[in-house]
Amino acid sequence: MSGAETISLALGARSYDIVVGSGLLEDAGARIAALGHHPPVIVVTDETVAALHLNTVMGSLEAAGVDARSIVLPPGETTKNFAGFEMLVDAILDGRPERRSLLVALGGGVIGDMVGFAAATILRGIDFVQIPTTLLAQVDSSVGGKTGINTRHGKNLVGAFYQPRLVLADTGVLDTLPRRELLAGYAEVAKYGLINDPDFFTWLEAHGADVVAGDADACRRAVVTSCRAKADVVAGDERETGARALLNLGHTFGHALEAETGFGPDLLHGEAVAIGMVMAFELSVRLGLCPAEDAARARRHLAAVGLPTGMERLPASATDPAALVAHMHQDKKVQDGKVTFILARGIGKAFIARDIDLAEVEALLQDAAAAA
Ligand SMILES: NC(=O)c1ccc[n+]([C@@H]2O[C@H](COP(=O)([O-])OP(=O)(O)OC[C@H]3O[C@@H](n4cnc5c(N)ncnc54)[C@H](O)[C@@H]3O)[C@@H](O)[C@H]2O)c1
Ligand SMILES: [Zn+2]
């Protein structure tokens, strides 16, 4: 392992480090042993990640003298529900954890969200470590302590704010990630530039192609910058009473599109966010808040790396403007009956808007559907 970088998330007694580097999986045992938990350590992963990376982590724990066992779940979003959670909690309890045992989430956001929620609730709270293995999980879901599962009423509606003790983001594991998943994670990377870091966005315009091609240095810089941005926001607003909502740029539109496509393989979360960010910029332009050139720049860059920026690839059944607006009303982020949007005054100038005329939104969606 060479040249890992550490970012600290400052939350008082619940502060933790986010370590980013290549080869961290080999090093995980020593870093976990240093946390000093009682046995057992229970590593949870999914079948896909288990086949690729579980042996490395278990071997590293064994080498560090840590008594560890593993639980392997079926991969994918369909596991992240009450049935999957019950299966996970039962399997963890079979391992007879104590209050001072430790869970390890080895996988993408699905595993991280489920294991975090299990950690929050088992024995009323035990510690957990995140080892995110998708780009999306490394730059977004493993940091910040949002945990939870989906219900038939919608995504992530049952959960808890519960921070990990440590995050180990090994950028080397991105080598095995399918390109489409890597690209989806890249949308969240670009998001940080678009929210409040125009210099990072300019860097991405020059180097984003290297990131999505899996270049080690470019990936590490992208993950470090993203984690630093997320850590700053979360340290200032852990429970999303204010500025943390900026991280939802593209997500009001994105979640509606995901819901209409059934959260299935037609549209990955990051792809929906890419389309959603383009729509948020376009809405900002239509409302006279943002120069058209900035919106065009955002769209150009996302398209250049290979992300969708419109509804072209979606089934026509998923693009009905009225249905999409109806989904926005059911979103977790509705406050006093008003839908929250993150809009922008330019690249890196995002802000929270709560008084948007939904007729304007519907008109925008109508035009986007007609263009598809
Ligand atoms: N908690 C948060 O703050 C937060 C933020 C954003 C998203 N999320 C949640 O994260 C989830 C999406 O996360 P995701 O995109 O990581 O999905 P995921 O966990 O389903 O992973 C995507 C796919 O990639 C596979 N995979 C993972 N790592 C791999 C690797 N290194 N090599 C090869 N294959 C690998 C997985 O098996 C899976 O099939 C959603 O449930 C979303 O709600 C949570
Ligand atoms: Zn997201």
Side-chain angles (χ1 to χ4, degrees):
M1 206 235 0
S2 63
E5 281 186 60
T6 300
I7 298 137
S8 299
L9 205 166
L11 282 172
R14 285 171 294 109
S15 297
Y16 56 95
D17 284 346
I18 302 149
V19 188
V20 182
S22 186
L24 285 171
L25 249 45
E26 285 85 351
D27 210 31
R31 290 180 189 268
I32 287 169
L35 294 174
H37 284 77
H38 287 187
V41 165
I42 300 173
V43 180
V44 183
T45 190
D46 71 30
E47 286 158 7
T48 308
V49 178
L52 296 162
H53 302 295
L54 182 60
N55 280 347
T56 311
V57 172
M58 297 309 279
S60 143
L61 284 162
E62 194 183 339
V66 177
D67 169 20
R69 57 204 66 174
S70 60
I71 294 170
V72 181
L73 299 177
E77 193 71 34
T78 48
T79 302
K80 200 180 122 175
N81 55 21
F82 278 114
F85 187 65
E86 182 176 16
M87 183 161 69
L88 170 62
V89 168
D90 274 337
I92 293 170
L93 291 175
D94 284 343
R96 302 201 175 284
E98 300 175 17
R99 256 274 172 65
R100 295 197 50 206
S101 299
L102 181 79
L103 302 183
V104 175
L106 172 69
V110 164
I111 291 295
D113 281 10
M114 287 182 75
V115 174
F117 188 41
T121 49
I122 287 176
L123 305 180
R124 299 202 176 86
I126 60 178
D127 284 348
F128 82 114
V129 168
Q130 290 269 20
I131 307 186
T133 62
T134 62
L135 182 59
L136 182 134
Q138 295 192 349
V139 300
D140 192 355
S141 62
S142 68
V143 173
K146 282 192 185 177
T147 74
I149 55 172
N150 308 325
T151 83
R152 67 185 175 80
H153 296 279
K155 271 193 53 142
N156 302 325
L157 288 180
V158 173
F161 284 100
Y162 195 70
Q163 302 293 342
R165 285 289 312 278
L166 175 69
V167 179
L168 298 176
D170 183 343
T171 48
V173 303
L174 301 177
D175 287 351
T176 60
L177 193 66
R179 181 180 159 78
R180 189 175 170 203
E181 296 286 352
L182 191 76
L183 268 177
Y186 184 86
E188 306 277 10
V189 173
K191 183 184 78 177
Y192 295 109
L194 292 172
I195 290 173
N196 63 2
D197 194 344
D199 292 345
F200 183 47
F201 191 78
T202 302
W203 183 84
L204 289 173
E205 286 177 316
H207 301 282
D210 301 332
V211 176
V212 297
D215 175 82
D217 286 341
C219 281
R220 194 172 63 179
R221 167 119 185 231
V223 174
V224 166
T225 308
S226 301
C227 286
R228 202 169 276 143
K230 181 140 188 196
D232 281 351
V233 173
V234 172
D237 178 23
E238 185 182 11
R239 287 179 169 253
E240 199 167 312
T241 53
R244 187 166 178 171
L246 290 172
L247 298 176
N248 297 325
L249 174 64
H251 284 60
T252 305
F253 287 105
H255 281 158
L257 291 166
E258 279 184 278
E260 277 297 280
T261 47
F263 298 103
D266 280 344
L267 187 67
L268 300 180
H269 173 73
E271 294 169 342
V273 170
I275 300 169
M277 292 193 296
V278 169
M279 288 179 170
F281 268 83
E282 174 63 24
L283 181 60
S284 306
V285 172
R286 289 182 181 212
L287 295 171
L289 299 165
C290 177
E293 171 48 24
D294 283 37
R297 215 180 128 193
R299 179 194 291 262
R300 229 173 11 244
H301 176 58
L302 295 170
V305 295
L307 278 161
T309 56
M311 306 210 275
E312 291 77 10
R313 281 194 246 152
L314 299 184
S317 59
T319 62
D320 176 53
L324 289 165
V325 169
H327 274 295
M328 293 176 185
H329 278 294
Q330 290 161 17
D331 199 275
K332 274 200 300 318
K333 280 113 197 163
V334 170
Q335 226 177 57
D336 304 327
K338 295 211 160 107
V339 181
T340 305
F341 287 88
I342 310 304
L343 300 182
R345 296 195 171 85
I347 303 278
K349 294 184 191 157
F351 65 98
I352 302 165
R354 292 214 163 85
D355 253 324
I356 299 303
D357 178 3
L358 289 178
E360 193 78 53
V361 174
E362 202 168 320
L364 182 152
L365 290 166
Q366 190 78 58
D367 294 346

